[in-house]
Amino acid sequence: MSFSKVGGILKRKSEQQDKMPKKLCSNERKGSEITLNFFSQNMVHVGGDVYTYVNTFKGQTRVHIRVFSKDENGSLHPTKNGVFLKLLVWSDLLRKMCHFEPSKDPDAVLTVRKDVCLFNHTVNYRCCVNLQRLFQRKDLSFQLLPELVVLRDDQFNKLRDSHELVLESIKHKLLTYTLKEFVLSEMDKHPDDGRWNLYDGETPAGVEELTDALCKQLTDFISSNLLVIVKKNCDFCSCGFSVLHNCMVSGRKDCFNIHFEEALYNVDWHVLAVNFVNVNINRPYLRQLADEFFEILETKCFFEKVEEMYVNEHSTDIVFHPL
């Protein structure tokens, strides 16, 4: 990768972008104003004016690492300095950051899924890290895009340690916003005949029934994705051995703990919503609860139940590859 050649391209593109209006979309705020209270609930402060947070827009959930500015009223506003990452890119980035040591190797460059790269960037004689978006050309060469954020050592370390907090936010967004939007959209395709108008669906039994149904369906998706991941990492499968074997060398709980995040990020939430609505559309609870159901879901308890369902499943992950 030639950074000298990229420099000119970056300059021209930056000049064009400066003329374009900047807008950062978020489903939990209006405009670009964010209060400190919003940060305490939804953001991770990695030091200085850099924050990371999870945003969902048009069914797509992304992790932002962005510089914010503060106005005279104390409200925070996003700037153009930052990047947003797909969930799998974010997960791989954190995993690879543990092995990235620019202070020991000033020329180190780390690429993640051909989407972003990390490289050493000295500012005022202080070693910093550049996190910048990549674009792959048709000739397979890479070009640096204007989207970037510069991180000091302490910010780099805090970002690397933010995994658990950001993961909880991602799970909450996927469940209570992304899935909700797909479910409500799918319900619009099923006309309401009014037969449940007088039914009181707001009962503990109704909530529990819908929660159990959703847990079972999400567990099926997670289980299917985990099996694909385990088979991908299986030595027997990768070598093409046609023998009966157990792909899962560790227990189901260990498998869940190791691969859950990747399995979650590969869930097709639209297909899950279609299945969930088709199974429950004729039950009064779904019609009555709809919006409120996703708002009252406790994300932590819900995913604990998904894990319990998967771990206690008695099916074996044994596959046979015929000759």
Side-chain angles (χ1 to χ4, degrees):
M1 182 186 303
S2 175
F3 291 102
S4 59
K5 291 183 179 180
V6 173
I9 298 174
L10 281 177
K11 183 177 180 181
R12 288 195 295 273
K13 290 205 170 188
S14 296
E15 291 172 352
Q16 293 175 357
Q17 284 208 345
D18 287 340
K19 298 177 183 178
M20 299 172 62
K22 295 288 179 180
K23 185 176 181 181
L24 184 65
C25 299
S26 174
N27 52 285
E28 295 194 11
R29 60 183 175 81
K30 296 181 179 179
S32 60
E33 182 177 308
I34 300 179
T35 63
L36 289 175
N37 183 53
F38 177 87
F39 277 102
S40 63
Q41 299 176 6
N42 301 276
M43 321 281 277
V44 177
H45 186 204
V46 298
D49 50 7
V50 181
Y51 295 81
T52 180
Y53 64 98
V54 182
N55 177 51
T56 300
F57 182 63
K58 291 186 177 180
Q60 301 297 318
T61 300
R62 299 287 186 262
V63 176
H64 287 251
I65 307 167
R66 191 164 298 278
V67 175
F68 280 75
S69 62
K70 185 185 296 185
D71 62 21
E72 62 276 6
N73 298 320
S75 296
L76 294 160
H77 302 268
T79 70
K80 65 180 181 180
N81 299 320
V83 297
F84 63 91
L85 309 174
K86 296 178 181 178
L87 298 183
L88 285 172
V89 175
W90 161 256
S91 180
D92 280 3
L93 172 65
L94 290 191
R95 179 172 53 83
K96 292 185 176 182
M97 282 174 66
C98 297
H99 308 288
F100 185 68
E101 299 179 325
S103 58
K104 295 182 179 179
D105 183 6
D107 296 324
V109 176
L110 174 67
T111 60
V112 182
R113 288 181 174 260
K114 301 178 181 179
D115 191 87
V116 294
C117 73
L118 287 168
F119 57 91
N120 183 35
H121 180 74
T122 301
V123 177
N124 296 329
Y125 303 101
R126 182 173 185 177
C127 180
C128 298
V129 174
N130 239 33
L131 176 60
Q132 192 159 356
R133 291 292 301 274
L134 284 175
F135 172 75
Q136 188 172 23
R137 299 189 184 98
K138 291 183 179 180
D139 62 2
L140 302 183
S141 63
F142 289 94
Q143 172 185 328
L144 286 172
L145 297 178
E147 302 168 51
L148 65 89
V149 60
V150 179
L151 303 171
R152 303 190 308 262
D153 284 343
D154 58 317
Q155 294 171 331
F156 180 84
N157 293 331
K158 287 183 179 179
L159 179 65
R160 183 182 56 200
D161 296 336
S162 67
H163 171 260
E164 290 299 327
L165 291 174
V166 176
L167 176 58
E168 290 305 312
S169 183
I170 290 173
K171 291 192 291 186
H172 180 75
K173 288 281 189 179
L174 290 174
L175 189 64
T176 63
Y177 185 80
T178 302
L179 182 59
K180 173 185 174 181
E181 292 299 304
F182 282 131
V183 167
L184 295 181
S185 176
E186 191 63 26
M187 286 180 62
D188 290 339
K189 301 177 183 178
H190 298 266
D192 186 359
D193 57 13
R195 57 176 166 165
W196 301 115
N197 288 347
L198 299 178
Y199 188 90
D200 182 13
E202 298 184 16
T203 63
V207 175
E208 290 176 7
E209 185 173 325
L210 283 181
T211 302
D212 287 343
L214 183 57
C215 272
K216 290 175 182 177
Q217 292 199 345
L218 180 56
T219 302
D220 287 341
F221 275 79
I222 295 293
S223 180
S224 177
N225 289 346
L226 285 173
L227 182 56
V228 171
I229 295 169
V230 169
K231 288 175 64 176
K232 181 178 65 176
N233 296 324
C234 174
D235 292 335
F236 281 94
C237 291
S238 61
C239 294
F241 291 153
S242 301
V243 293
L244 191 67
H245 66 279
N246 189 346
C247 291
M248 193 178 297
V249 295
S250 58
R252 295 180 70 86
K253 186 173 182 62
D254 289 337
C255 176
F256 188 92
N257 292 335
I258 295 171
H259 301 297
F260 164 73
E261 194 171 348
E262 182 179 354
L264 178 68
Y265 296 164
N266 279 293
V267 169
D268 189 325
W269 296 94
H270 178 248
V271 174
L272 174 60
V274 172
N275 293 347
F276 178 68
V277 171
N278 287 340
V279 170
N280 296 280
I281 193 62
N282 292 321
R283 294 177 178 175
Y285 309 124
L286 186 59
R287 289 289 188 190
Q288 293 290 330
L289 294 174
D291 289 322
E292 293 82 1
F293 171 67
F294 291 95
E295 294 176 2
I296 63 178
L297 274 179
E298 295 184 9
T299 306
K300 187 175 185 296
C301 295
F302 181 87
F303 280 99
E304 286 176 351
K305 190 168 185 177
V306 169
E307 179 180 1
E308 181 183 354
M309 284 185 174
Y310 174 79
V311 172
N312 293 332
E313 176 64 43
H314 296 296
S315 63
T316 57
D317 298 291
I318 297 178
V319 296
F320 179 73
H321 299 279
L323 293 172

